[in-house]
Amino acid sequence: MCLGRYSRCLISRLQSLHLQKRQLCSTATHNGKPSQPSPPPIQVALTESAGRGVFATRRIGAGDLIHTAKPIITHPTLSTLNSVCYFCLRKITSSSQHFQHHNARFCSEVCKDNAKAFYDVERRADWSAFNDYCRSQGLKYPLLVKRLACMIISGAESADCIDILQPASLSPELILAMEEGFVMLRSAFKKAGIDDEQMKFLNKQWYTNVLAQIRINAFRIELAGGLYEDLLSSAAASIESEIVAVGNAIYMLPSFYNHDCDPNAHIMWIDNADARLMALRDVEEGEELRICYIDASMARDARQALLSQGFGFQCNCLRCSSGD
């Protein structure tokens, strides 16, 4: 999902909501103490036409933080391998503190420890050929498959851990094109001394199925930067300049949000891959929460083409139906 682009209308809405929330912030206390956070006001249920969806269990106010979400899998883009944390994707500068572990950089000891779920396996293999293959073909999702495979081999995850996510529809030609990546992935593990028993899950069907799920559920991570209070000024500035994606990630709950070209919710990333979902307008109890998978500022025909080619559906939201 390409969800990192901010349209001008979205930024205007976010700025207005943020101003309102700051004005109300001082009233959100009780007896001088901050109010306690409540459980996320959402539930996953079946929709009439779009499979599963996320619904409000109570009224959610415009500008409210609905919930946060930590990724199941992350991976930096190949162009940012040396400039972001190899685990959480936080940007690392020449002046910022970081922790080097073999060929990977981490922003903290915590991230370095958490990365053991995959990195102790990953660093045993030579990934230069696999990375060159992804780079030359312009591929990013096989990198997430590689990381998931490392997590399974290490015992940190099960081979079916993302089976609940909806897969993309793959043409026979695309499935055939995936074979080269599968062969290279398995070969890298084999040369690293990973035995067949540890790799028994890693067959062509597993690789193809996981890649189909990742293709339609991966989020491109574009960091707004700064503290939450600085988010909107950073987002507004991004309109005038290209935001560079720092990596891609898979989440569980955010993957259940359906699309709308005039969404009532938005997903964002501030300084790492931890996602924040916030309401763009008042949402009533029982109403479905929807995000926009693409740049909402595009013209209708461009949106329709991108959603059809990238996600396999024709959008029938009110905005598209009205011709906007």
Side-chain angles (χ1 to χ4, degrees):
M1 299 180 183
C2 178
L3 298 161
R5 298 290 179 213
Y6 299 94
S7 65
R8 292 182 185 275
C9 60
L10 177 59
I11 292 300
S12 177
R13 188 183 301 175
L14 286 171
Q15 287 174 326
S16 176
L17 294 175
H18 184 64
L19 178 60
Q20 296 172 24
K21 289 300 173 183
R22 291 194 68 176
Q23 292 171 341
L24 294 172
C25 182
S26 61
T27 67
T29 60
H30 179 66
N31 294 330
K33 297 181 180 180
S35 58
Q36 294 298 313
S38 57
I42 54 174
Q43 67 176 359
V44 177
L46 291 176
T47 67
E48 293 183 358
S49 59
R52 289 170 301 203
V54 180
F55 294 82
T57 57
R58 62 166 171 78
R59 186 180 185 279
I60 302 173
D64 283 354
L65 179 66
I66 305 169
H67 68 89
T68 60
K70 288 189 175 294
I72 305 169
I73 319 163
T74 64
H75 200 289
T77 63
L78 292 176
S79 62
T80 61
L81 284 175
N82 295 317
S83 59
V84 302
C85 176
Y86 204 51
F87 180 76
C88 77
L89 307 184
R90 184 189 301 271
K91 290 183 179 179
I92 296 175
T93 65
S94 57
S95 60
S96 62
Q97 184 183 31
H98 66 273
F99 300 83
Q100 191 82 26
H101 186 47
H102 296 275
N103 294 323
R105 286 184 169 189
F106 299 96
C107 68
S108 66
E109 287 282 4
V110 172
C111 282
K112 190 175 82 168
D113 289 341
N114 288 335
K116 290 179 180 179
F118 61 84
Y119 195 61
D120 285 350
V121 172
E122 183 178 321
R123 67 184 179 86
R124 292 166 58 183
D126 180 2
W127 297 105
S128 56
F130 187 79
N131 288 348
D132 287 344
Y133 159 73
C134 291
R135 186 179 290 107
S136 64
Q137 300 296 317
L139 302 174
K140 51 191 177 182
Y141 301 135
L143 298 170
L144 289 167
V145 180
K146 175 201 73 175
R147 180 156 293 184
L148 177 58
C150 290
M151 295 167 72
I152 296 168
I153 291 171
S154 74
E157 285 290 356
S158 61
D160 61 355
C161 65
I162 65 170
D163 280 2
I164 194 173
L165 300 182
Q166 179 181 348
S169 297
L170 303 177
S171 66
E173 294 79 14
L174 188 54
I175 292 175
L176 183 63
M178 292 177 175
E179 186 169 353
E180 183 177 2
F182 163 70
V183 171
M184 296 187 73
L185 179 65
R186 190 171 176 87
S187 175
F189 283 131
K190 193 75 173 178
K191 291 178 181 178
I194 307 298
D195 60 48
D196 290 338
E197 179 63 23
Q198 291 177 290
M199 288 195 296
K200 63 182 180 181
F201 71 93
L202 187 51
N203 52 48
K204 187 177 179 181
Q205 182 177 0
W206 179 88
Y207 181 87
T208 302
N209 289 345
V210 167
L211 200 49
Q213 290 164 318
I214 287 176
R215 281 176 61 88
I216 202 171
N217 290 289
F219 289 79
R220 184 173 69 178
I221 310 303
E222 296 177 343
L223 304 180
L227 300 173
Y228 186 68
E229 290 75 14
D230 301 326
L231 173 61
L232 293 168
S233 60
S234 299
S238 74
I239 296 174
E240 306 302 332
S241 61
E242 287 293 308
I243 303 177
V244 177
V246 296
N248 296 277
I250 295 291
Y251 303 83
M252 191 58 68
L253 184 53
S255 293
F256 294 148
Y257 279 73
N258 287 316
H259 165 82
D260 198 296
C261 292
D262 184 21
N264 57 11
H266 183 61
I267 186 169
M268 60 183 64
W269 299 268
I270 299 178
D271 55 8
N272 62 20
D274 291 348
R276 293 171 181 252
L277 280 291
M278 69 175 292
L280 293 176
R281 56 175 176 263
D282 291 342
V283 179
E284 299 303 322
E285 179 180 351
E287 184 178 349
E288 184 180 2
L289 290 155
R290 293 192 170 219
I291 58 178
C292 188
Y293 293 176
I294 58 176
D295 183 350
S297 65
M298 293 190 299
R300 179 187 181 278
D301 289 348
R303 298 197 312 270
Q304 288 282 336
L306 188 55
L307 290 167
S308 176
Q309 296 167 9
F311 298 92
F313 68 87
Q314 180 179 356
C315 183
N316 295 311
C317 71
L318 291 177
R319 184 181 171 195
C320 285
S321 298
S322 68
D324 182 8

